[in-house]
């Protein structure tokens, strides 16, 4: 990741900009207003999540009353923030957005109250849509505010961005790859005895499987299974909230273990194919240059054979102990990631992450299909959640490693469109993720625990992005990447806890 300011600022081979380096830390003009605006967005989201998840269950009384009081307090906060924006002379569009949010919020509250008085016992679709609109308006206002703060601090227009040269950024593992197994820890063959050589080889093959990714993908498959337990309908594809009776799916230990084992083997196969197809470009990138195939510690043909063996074993395990649909979906996930993403999308389009994210989202469907043999609405919503989450996860890393990706010849968003555009898109995808999280709670009829856990996680994620704007460093972007993993982990853990509570 070394390189001069000049090199970093130069136009790259895609004709885009890598984003200029700042010489000064970002000097936010109004940090207190930023904090208030962030708190307003989080409070509105909490209300949205709690309201969506408790309204159906509560009928009328204490929870509903709590919702009214919280809604009124939330509205006051939005209104005060709007007035403060106006009086403080903040950007016109921020004030317009906040004023619009205040009015929308009022309309939304009135409609909800009228609906309740009219005897509605359920949270209506329009009420939910209204909440989404209010939340989106406030989030857009926050993003606009942050963009203007950075532009004003820089004094050189909105595109002057990120990456203070305060400390060289090399990632948590000294710039080494996600595998965490290849790289410095792997001995050169001539250095060691035969026992050491065997150990090195095992480590190299293990590195091919990208083990660091597995915990979250396995948690996703587990959440898919847990959702089926909570919300699979007796027939058809609707979720619990669709009014269908739930089937009370039993999770047999053998199916659960086999699905996870098949999933681990499939991820290992996908990762191995990824190493095979990318070994040339991997050599050109600091982060990946020491991967086993890139360095020829594992020959291409052997790695390919290893990948085929893992894939075959995975499909046999799933076919034998899970369901044909889960097996088919897993085969599709392997092809999607190894070929569609790695070979077709990643080197050719800036949309590689947004479209390619579908491959990593499939474990949600696989988990559900493994225990039901079908596909259900809650599993589809969880898949959509992960599709939206993926750019909010990866764009942070793409910012931190943008020079590396440019060196590898990949048209990642910060490489072709600059850092500020990427950061803005991260916020939009985060917004989509948060809305999908609430929707999942609604279609699967999840409870207060889910609403609270996911809102706290959302606050941490959002705060991390605000910090990234404030600090402008690659390290701050890397922290947001970790916050993204924590966010998805918390959402999935909350789904599992809800399933345990169901009994
Ligand atoms: C197009 C989609 C995706 C891209 C391009 C992507 C990219 C990456 C990259 C490059 C890393 C390595 C970071 C490093 O070297 O430090 C990474 C790490 C990781 N990713 Fe993703 N990712 C994607 C989707 C997913 C999905 C769907 C999941 C799980 C549901 C996931 C979970 C993880 C985890 C758990 C790590 C390891 C974090 C750590 O080292 O602590 N990723 N991702
Ligand atoms: C169930 C199943 C088979 C799922 C497989 C899909 C899968 C492994 C998804 C994860 C996506 C991912 C980690 C991409 C890494 O990006 P990258 O490959 O661009 O990262 P790199 O630059 O480190 O190679």
């Amino acid at each position: 990741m070394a390189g001069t300011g000049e090199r970093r600022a130069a136009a790259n081979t895609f004709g885009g900009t890598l984003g200029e380096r700042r010489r000064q830390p970002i000097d936010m003009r109004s940090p207190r207003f930023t904090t208030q605006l962030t708190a307003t967005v989080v409070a509105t989201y909490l209300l949205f999540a709690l309201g969506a998840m408790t309204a159906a269950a509560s009928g009328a009384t204490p929870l509903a009353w709590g919702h009214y009081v919280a809604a009124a307090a939330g509205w006051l906060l939005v209104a005060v923030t709007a007035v403060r924006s106006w009086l403080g002379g903040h950007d016109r569009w921020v004030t317009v957005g906040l004023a619009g949010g205040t009015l929308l919020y009022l309309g939304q509250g009135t409609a909800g109250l009228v609906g309740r008085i009219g005897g509605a016992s359920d949270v209506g679709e329009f009420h939910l849509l209204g909440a989404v609109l209010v939340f989106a308006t406030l989030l857009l206002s926050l993003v606009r505010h942050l963009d203007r703060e950075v532009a004003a601090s820089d004094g050189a227009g909105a595109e002057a961005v990120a990456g203070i040269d305060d400390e060289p950024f090399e990632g948590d593992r000294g710039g080494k790859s996600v595998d965490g197994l290849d790289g410095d820890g792997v001995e050169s063959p001539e250095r060691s005895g035969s026992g050491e050589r065997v150990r090195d080889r095992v480590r190299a093959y293990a590195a091919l499987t990208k083990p660091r990714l597995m915990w979250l993908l396995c948690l996703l498959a587990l959440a898919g299974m847990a959702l089926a337990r909570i919300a699979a309908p007796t027939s058809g594809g609707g979720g619990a909230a669709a009014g269908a009776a739930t089937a009370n799916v039993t999770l047999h230990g053998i199916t659960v273990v086999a699905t996870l084992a098949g999933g681990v083997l499939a991820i290992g196969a996908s990762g191995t194919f990824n190493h095979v197809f990318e070994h040339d470009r991997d050599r050109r990138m600091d982060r990946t240059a020491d991967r086993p195939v890139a360095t020829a510690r594992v020959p291409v043909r052997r790695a390919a054979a290893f990948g085929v063996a893992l894939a075959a074993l995975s499909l046999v395990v799933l076919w034998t102990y899970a369901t044909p649909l889960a097996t088919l979906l897993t085969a599709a996930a392997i092809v999607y990631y190894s070929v569609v993403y790695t070979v077709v999308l990643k080197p050719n389009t800036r949309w590689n992450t947004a479209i390619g994210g579908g491959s990593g989202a499939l474990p949600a469907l696989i988990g559900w299909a493994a225990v039901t043999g079908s596909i259900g609405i809650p599993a589809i919503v969880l898949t959509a959640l992960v599709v939206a989450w993926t750019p909010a996860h990866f764009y942070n890393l793409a910012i931190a490693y943008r020079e590396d990706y440019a060196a590898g010849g990949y048209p990642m968003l910060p490489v072709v469109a600059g850092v500020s555009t990427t950061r803005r898109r991260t916020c939009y995808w985060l917004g989509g993720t948060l809305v999908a999280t609430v929707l999942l709670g609604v279609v699967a009829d999840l409870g207060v625990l889910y609403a609270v856990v996911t809102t706290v996680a959302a606050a941490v994620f959002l705060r991390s992005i605000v910090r990234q704007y404030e600090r402008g460093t690659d390290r701050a972007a890397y922290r947001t990447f970790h916050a993204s993993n924590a966010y998805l982990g918390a959402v999935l853990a909350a789904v599992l806890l809800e399933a345990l509570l169901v009994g």
Side-chain angles (χ1 to χ4, degrees), residues 210 213 266 270 274 278 287 291 333 337 341 346 359-360 363 405:
K210 300 200 172 187
L213 308 173
S270 307
N274 175 271
E278 292 189 335
R287 187 176 63 85
R291 286 186 167 175
Y337 175 65
Y341 169 71
K346 188 172 167 184
S359 62
Y405 278 113

Side-chain angles (χ1 to χ4, degrees), residues 171-173 175-179 210 212-218 220 287 291 337 341 346 352-361 363 386 389-391 393-394 397 401 405 412 478 481-482 485 488 492:
D172 279 355
R173 291 173 294 282
K176 298 307 174 213
S177 75
V178 63
D179 316 335
K210 300 200 172 187
R212 292 181 71 103
L213 308 173
M214 286 179 183
W215 69 273
L216 201 51
L217 288 159
C218 285
L220 183 57
R287 187 176 63 85
R291 286 186 167 175
Y337 175 65
Y341 169 71
K346 188 172 167 184
N352 50 18
T353 313
I355 308 171
S359 62
V386 178
W389 168 87
T390 299
H393 157 75
F394 175 65
L397 202 73
Y401 286 116
Y405 278 113
M412 297 308 187
Y478 201 62
F481 166 74
H482 283 304
N485 293 337
L488 188 57
L492 300 176

